[in-house]
Amino acid sequence: MAGVVGIIFSNIHDQNVSELTRKRTMASIPFGCRYRLIDFTLSNLVNSGITHVGVVTHYNYQSLMDHIGTGKDWDLARRNGGIKILPPYITAFEGSQTGLYNTRLEAVKSMISFISGCTEEYVILSDCDVICNIDLSEMINEHIATNADITVAVKRMYLTPAVKNMEVVESDPDGRITDISECGGIVSGYRDVNLNIMVLRRKYLENIVMDASAHGYTSFTKDVMVRNLANCDFRIFRYDSYFATINSLTDYYMCSMDLLSSSARDSLFNVKNRPVYTKIRNSGPTVYEEGSKVKNSLIADGCVIYGTVENSILFRGVRVGKNTVVRNSILMQDTLVGENVDLNCVITDKDVVIRDGRTLSGHETKPFFIDKQTVV
Amino acid sequence: MIKKKECVAMLLAGGQGSRLYLLTQHVAKPAVSFGSKYRIIDFTLSNCINSGIDTVGVLTQYQPLALNEYIGNGQPWDLDRTFGGVMVLPPYQGQKRADWYKGTANAIYQNLHFLDKYDPDYVVVLSGDHIYKMDYSAMVDFHKRVGAACTIAVIDVPIEEASRFGIMNTDDDYRIYEFEEKPKQPKSTKASMGVYVFSKDKLYDYLIADEADETSEKDFGKNVIPAMLRGGEKLYAYPFKGYWKDVGTIDSLWEANMDLLGDRPALNLNNPSWRIFSRHASPPPHFLGNGAEVENSLITGGCEIYGTVVNSVLSVGVKVAKGAVVRDSIIMRDCVISENASVEYSVMDSDTVVGVNARVGEAKKWGHGIALIGSGLNIKAGTVIPGGVRADEAYLTELEEGRV
C-alpha cells in the first residue's frame, strides 16, 4: 500500500492495566506467549503493505524501544520509510508550550511535523491495544472508494452495562456514522464497537489538528467527530473476526485464556499470508522432560517443563520444576517455578522466581498478579 | 587497502550428503532440518558470529537453491554487514574456464580473489555439516601462539571408531607429524573435525601448488595437508573438548537429535551466551490440547499436539491429532499425523501427511532400523510402512500395488 503512513499510539489506555504498565507502555504488554500488544497492530500494518510507521510514545517507553529495535523483525528497517519512534517533544525554554499530551488529538498535534513531513496521501491511526488480524488494505480501499472524510473500523459485539471504556458507533444503513458515544449506561445488546483504527487523508488530519488547536479541542471523537457528524462524511468499516481489547487485569486474563480455543488462535494467528511478527529471541525449542504432563496450554519456545501444566500460557524461557502443578495461569518470560509448587489463576510478570514448595492462588475473576522480578 | 579483516571463514557447503538419501534429494546437506527449529548450517554460522568472525564465504554447489534462500543476506545471524558479512559463492564461469568445484581445496582456490578483497591474516576453513558449538577465536589464538602454518581442530574419539575418521598423529606439544585418512590401525584417537585455520600466505602457496598438480584430487585432507607435512610446515592439532557430531548418515542424524533431549542434554540449545541463530517464519506458539501426552521431547512454534509424543523432536508446524502416537522419531516441518496413526522410530521429511490409522515404522526394539520417509508424501489411511525402509513416492505406489 504505497501512499499510506501508519501512526500507532503506544500509551493510550495505560491506566487501565496499571499492574502491567507500571514499567512499560500499553504497547509493550506481553501477550499470547511471545508477543507484545503492539505486534498485532504492527503486523496488521506490515501485512497490508504499509511500510512507513510512526509510533507515538509518551512515557515508560524504554521497554517499547527495546522491543522494536531497528524494526527488522517486522521488515521495518528501511531506508525509505520504516519505523520511527516519536517521543514527546518538550523544549527546554521556559514559557514555551510544554506538558505532555493526554489525548490522541494532543498527541497528533505534538507530532504534526512528522505528519507534514510525510509524502503519503493517507494516514491510518491505530491504538496499540487492538488485538486482531485485520486486512487494512481492504479498509483503505473502501475509504478511497466511498470518498469518506474518515473511515472507522468497527466490530459488532454484545455489550452489557458492565462493559467499560468502549465507544459505541451508530450508523445508517449506508454505513455513515450518525452517533458515537461511550458505552456506559446502554442496555444490553449488539452494538458496533469502535476498534480505534481510522483512515483519513493526511492533509485532512493536518486541518483537523490546526482547527482543534485553534479551538482548544482535546478529544478526537467527542470534539472532532461528534461535532461534525452532520456536515462531514464519517463512515464505518466492518470487521468481523477475532478482536480483543484490554481494559483491566481481569480482561487481560480472560483475553489470554481465549487463546486456548482453537477458533481464536486460527483467526488471530493462522490467517493465510498474515502472520503476526514479533521480536525474535532465538530461544531453543521447548524441552518436555520425562514425567511432564501438559494439557490445554499454549507454550512458547525456550521453556523447560518437568511438572504439570494445565490451561495455562507460558512465555519464552519459563521453567517449571518437578512435582509442580501450574493451572489456569499466565507465566511471562523467564519465570522460574521451582519444585513442589502449586499455582492456580496466577499471572507472573517477567523474571519472577517462585521458590520450591510455594502455593499461590487467585480466582478467575481476580487473578493473583506478581510483579516483575519478584521472588516469592 | 584501507580496510581488512583479520579472519575470514570459508564454509564448505557444497556436499551432496548422499548417505542422507531422501533428505538431500532436493536440498544440500547443510540445509537439512535439525533440532526442531534449525538447519545443520545454523551451527557453523552461529559459531562464526559468536566467535567474532563476521565475514563468511559459503561455497555451494549441490542443490544450492534452498541454501541460498535460507542464508539470504545473513540477517538472522547478524551477518548482514556493510563490509564483510555472509556471501554465497557458487562455482562460476571465468574468462578462460568454467569449472565445478573439483574438491574442497579447489573450491577455495577458485575463490582466492574473494579472500583478496578482505586481505585476511588467517583463513578458517569449515564444513557446513557438523553439529557443535565451538569458539573459533580461541583456536585462532592457539594458531598464533604456536606460530603454525595450519592448525586442525581434533576431538578425542574412541579408538574402535578412530578408523572412520581422519586421524592426526602428534607430538606431545600437539605438533602433527603424520596424518592418516581413515587408518585401519589407528595410532591415535585425535580425529579431525574438519575445522582448519590457515595462515593466509601458506594457504595461498599450497593451494596454487596443488592446483598445478594434475594428479591431485584437490582435497584438503587427501592432498593439501599431506603436501604441507611433506614441505616441513608447522602443523598443529587443536584439541577440542565438547559436543561434536558428524550428521552424515540417517542414524547419526537421529542420534544427534536425540542428544538434545533429557535432563542434561549432551548439546544444550538454551544457553543464552552461545545462542544458535536461525531463520524462521514467525510461527505462533505451540499448543498442547486436552488429550496431549508429551514426554522427553522437543517441540517448537506452530505445532498443535492432541495425541502422544514421546522421545521425539518435532519441527515447526507439526500437527499430531487425537489418538496418534509419535515415538522415537524426528518429524520435520509441517507434517500432519492424523487420528490414531502411529509413527515409530522414523525420520520424516517435511510436509508429509500420515493418514488415519496408518502405521509408519516399527518400534526401535525390533531392530529393523529407522524408517526414512520422504517429503510431501500423502500416506493413505491405514497404510503400514515397515521399519528400516526408505519411503518415497515410488515406494508408496509399489506398497499400494502389493509389490513390496
Side-chain angles (χ1 to χ4, degrees):
Chain A
M1 254 326 4
V4 185
V5 57
I7 291 171
I8 302 175
F9 301 96
S10 68
N11 288 92
I12 295 285
H13 312 139
D14 271 5
Q15 67 282 6
N16 293 351
V17 204
S18 54
E19 295 91 338
L20 293 170
T21 53
R22 190 169 303 158
K23 288 180 184 150
R24 53 168 81 91
T25 60
M26 189 81 181
S28 48
I29 289 181
F31 183 81
C33 280
R34 59 195 293 268
Y35 304 98
R36 303 280 187 147
L37 288 189
I38 197 171
D39 290 337
F40 298 96
T41 307
L42 277 178
S43 302
N44 284 334
L45 291 169
V46 170
N47 287 333
S48 305
I50 296 162
T51 54
H52 189 193
V53 180
V55 180
V56 185
T57 60
H58 191 170
Y59 44 76
N60 281 357
Y61 52 86
Q62 209 173 4
S63 68
L64 180 66
M65 294 190 65
D66 176 55
H67 180 67
I68 291 175
T70 59
K72 71 175 164 188
D73 289 323
W74 299 265
D75 267 347
L76 285 173
R78 304 287 183 110
R79 290 204 189 282
N80 201 353
I83 195 160
K84 288 185 185 67
I85 305 247
L86 306 166
Y89 186 81
I90 301 173
T91 64
F93 302 110
E94 221 172 315
S96 58
Q97 192 189 2
T98 58
L100 289 167
Y101 38 79
N102 289 308
T103 67
R104 199 173 295 135
L105 191 57
E106 288 170 347
V108 175
K109 201 176 122 194
S110 77
M111 42 163 288
I112 196 72
S113 62
F114 169 78
I115 296 173
S116 346
C118 294
T119 52
E120 288 85 355
E121 189 172 357
Y122 294 94
V123 183
I124 189 151
L125 303 178
S126 175
D127 283 0
C128 58
D129 56 343
V130 189
I131 306 168
C132 66
N133 195 328
I134 181 173
D135 185 355
L136 296 171
S137 56
E138 208 179 302
M139 176 173 175
I140 293 157
N141 289 336
E142 195 173 303
H143 175 78
I144 295 169
T146 56
N147 202 21
D149 292 316
I150 299 178
T151 302
V152 177
V154 298
K155 176 177 161 115
R156 205 152 186 84
M157 291 170 84
Y158 190 81
L159 297 185
T160 62
V163 177
K164 288 195 200 95
N165 299 320
M166 286 206 185
E167 280 177 352
V168 172
V169 180
E170 308 276 353
S171 55
D172 67 16
D174 283 345
R176 189 164 165 182
I177 297 174
T178 54
D179 195 18
I180 304 176
S181 58
E182 289 290 331
C183 66
I186 56 150
V187 283
S188 298
Y190 281 99
R191 299 297 165 93
D192 285 331
V193 171
N194 188 351
L195 301 190
N196 291 318
I197 302 175
M198 60 174 89
V199 186
L200 63 169
R201 268 178 207 279
R202 189 169 55 85
K203 288 288 171 207
Y204 188 71
L205 179 64
E206 283 181 43
N207 290 343
I208 288 174
V209 173
M210 292 307 165
D211 184 59
S213 179
H215 290 89
Y217 295 156
T218 53
S219 162
F220 209 108
T221 37
K222 287 193 198 99
D223 294 329
V224 174
M225 296 189 74
V226 175
R227 275 169 203 265
N228 294 305
L229 284 172
N231 42 22
C232 294
D233 190 7
F234 301 145
R235 288 177 174 272
I236 58 162
F237 170 80
R238 268 184 211 285
Y239 165 78
D240 53 13
S241 187
Y242 180 88
F243 164 72
T245 182
I246 287 159
N247 291 312
S248 66
L249 192 66
T250 313
D251 250 15
Y252 175 81
Y253 180 78
M254 300 306 262
C255 290
S256 298
M257 289 302 163
D258 265 1
L259 297 178
L260 297 180
S261 92
S262 64
S263 65
R265 284 200 310 280
D266 282 346
S267 48
L268 188 58
F269 297 128
N270 298 333
V271 183
K272 199 170 166 59
N273 247 340
R274 308 185 54 78
V276 184
Y277 302 97
T278 188
K279 181 182 175 185
I280 287 171
R281 198 179 177 227
N282 282 293
S283 328
T286 285
V287 187
Y288 291 88
E289 301 285 358
E290 207 92 43
S292 69
K293 288 194 180 61
V294 182
K295 286 195 177 10
N296 199 37
S297 297
L298 197 61
I299 295 174
D301 274 352
C303 298
V304 180
I305 301 171
Y306 290 90
T308 301
V309 179
E310 282 175 24
N311 309 326
S312 295
I313 298 203
L314 269 52
F315 283 69
R316 295 185 274 205
V318 170
R319 294 181 75 96
V320 177
K322 288 189 179 108
N323 297 318
T324 283
V325 180
V326 177
R327 276 173 294 133
N328 310 311
S329 295
I330 299 169
L331 308 181
M332 289 187 200
Q333 197 165 303
D334 296 324
T335 295
L336 201 81
V337 186
E339 299 180 3
N340 301 304
V341 174
D342 197 335
L343 301 182
N344 181 33
C345 295
V346 171
I347 301 178
T348 62
D349 206 320
K350 283 173 71 178
D351 300 311
V352 165
V353 176
I354 306 203
R355 293 241 170 95
D356 294 355
R358 304 287 191 264
T359 301
L360 302 171
S361 180
H363 186 264
E364 283 168 28
T365 53
K366 187 76 186 160
F368 182 50
F369 177 76
I370 302 171
D371 216 353
K372 197 171 168 178
Q373 292 167 338
T374 309
V375 177
V376 180
Chain B
M1 208 174 301
I2 300 167
K3 289 175 106 180
K4 65 176 263 131
K5 296 277 179 188
E6 192 197 17
C7 216
V8 170
M10 298 297 267
L11 206 164
L12 300 159
Q16 181 181 356
S18 54
R19 285 170 306 153
L20 289 177
Y21 308 104
L22 301 174
L23 297 182
T24 49
Q25 233 171 10
H26 306 294
V27 300
K29 183 153 108 178
V32 168
S33 295
F34 178 83
S36 182
K37 57 186 291 192
Y38 306 98
R39 309 260 188 157
I40 293 170
I41 199 173
D42 285 333
F43 289 81
T44 322
L45 285 176
S46 300
N47 285 342
C48 284
I49 194 70
N50 288 338
S51 306
I53 298 172
D54 63 11
T55 308
V56 184
V58 179
L59 300 127
T60 60
Q61 177 151 292
Y62 174 79
Q63 291 281 14
L65 179 66
L67 200 54
N68 284 348
E69 190 193 351
Y70 186 70
I71 293 171
N73 68 349
Q75 182 249 316
W77 304 270
D78 261 355
L79 287 170
D80 49 336
R81 301 295 172 108
T82 46
F83 180 68
V86 66
M87 259 144 293
V88 175
L89 304 169
Y92 57 91
Q93 191 165 30
Q95 199 175 17
K96 293 197 185 112
R97 33 158 236 180
D99 271 330
W100 294 105
Y101 294 149
K102 290 185 290 263
T104 51
N106 176 257
I108 308 281
Y109 173 82
Q110 289 202 37
N111 287 289
L112 288 182
H113 63 282
F114 167 79
L115 288 171
D116 288 340
K117 209 171 108 184
Y118 298 103
D119 188 25
D121 301 321
Y122 306 100
V123 179
V124 183
V125 176
L126 304 163
S127 68
D129 44 13
H130 297 145
I131 304 292
Y132 63 117
K133 298 202 271 191
M134 179 177 179
D135 185 355
Y136 303 135
S137 65
M139 184 175 169
V140 174
D141 287 345
F142 173 90
H143 177 88
K144 283 191 234 173
R145 202 167 58 239
V146 298
C150 169
T151 303
I152 302 168
V154 294
I155 188 160
D156 239 355
V157 293
I159 187 87
E160 57 272 20
E161 283 181 34
S163 51
R164 284 173 40 218
F165 296 93
I167 295 295
M168 304 293 155
N169 301 322
T170 71
D171 302 335
D172 289 345
D173 66 349
Y174 285 98
R175 179 151 180 186
I176 300 167
Y177 63 85
E178 191 186 15
F179 168 74
E180 293 180 288
E181 182 73 42
K182 299 192 173 109
K184 289 214 172 65
Q185 250 88 47
K187 288 179 229 154
S188 119
T189 54
K190 296 188 185 78
S192 167
M193 297 164 60
V195 175
Y196 307 85
V197 176
F198 289 95
S199 292
K200 179 203 151 196
D201 294 338
K202 295 290 180 191
L203 177 70
Y204 274 51
D205 292 348
Y206 280 92
L207 282 182
I208 291 163
D210 184 64
E211 190 59 24
D213 177 3
E214 285 185 6
T215 60
S216 165
E217 288 178 54
K218 318 278 190 267
D219 185 84
F220 273 105
K222 285 183 194 140
N223 310 104
V224 177
I225 301 300
M228 288 180 89
L229 280 170
R230 280 197 303 276
E233 299 294 347
K234 285 172 89 178
L235 270 70
Y236 276 82
Y238 173 76
F240 172 76
K241 294 208 168 33
Y243 184 87
W244 177 85
K245 194 139 196 153
D246 180 349
V247 286
T249 63
I250 294 295
D251 285 295
S252 63
L253 181 72
W254 185 88
E255 276 166 29
N257 271 288
M258 291 300 151
D259 285 341
L260 303 171
L261 298 177
D263 207 356
R264 294 217 179 335
L267 179 68
N268 181 5
L269 295 174
N270 265 326
N271 178 1
S273 63
W274 202 273
R275 283 200 195 281
I276 305 302
F277 303 98
S278 65
R279 183 186 290 277
H280 47 90
S282 246
H286 64 273
F287 180 73
L288 271 58
N290 265 324
E293 282 183 37
V294 178
E295 270 197 82
N296 198 33
S297 296
L298 290 188
I299 297 185
T300 188
C303 290
E304 301 248 338
I305 315 293
Y306 297 91
T308 303
V309 179
V310 183
N311 301 335
S312 296
V313 175
L314 271 51
S315 293
V316 178
V318 171
K319 309 277 187 288
V320 178
K322 223 172 124 193
V325 178
V326 176
R327 195 172 275 125
D328 299 320
S329 295
I330 319 292
I331 312 285
M332 296 183 185
R333 268 160 298 126
D334 296 320
C335 285
V336 177
I337 318 296
S338 310
E339 279 84 3
N340 301 320
S342 80
V343 179
E344 294 260 8
Y345 199 33
S346 301
V347 173
M348 187 177 288
D349 206 351
S350 53
D351 298 303
T352 285
V353 178
V354 179
V356 291
N357 298 321
R359 297 266 171 278
V360 175
E362 284 168 63
K364 193 167 173 244
K365 60 181 175 188
W366 302 124
H368 291 154
I370 296 170
L372 175 62
I373 314 296
S375 67
L377 299 180
N378 189 4
I379 299 171
K380 291 193 181 134
T383 309
V384 177
I385 297 178
V389 299
R390 297 201 283 271
D392 55 5
E393 200 85 52
Y395 176 89
L396 288 183
T397 319
E398 286 177 25
L399 192 68
E400 209 173 321
E401 292 164 0
R403 283 189 279 133
V404 178

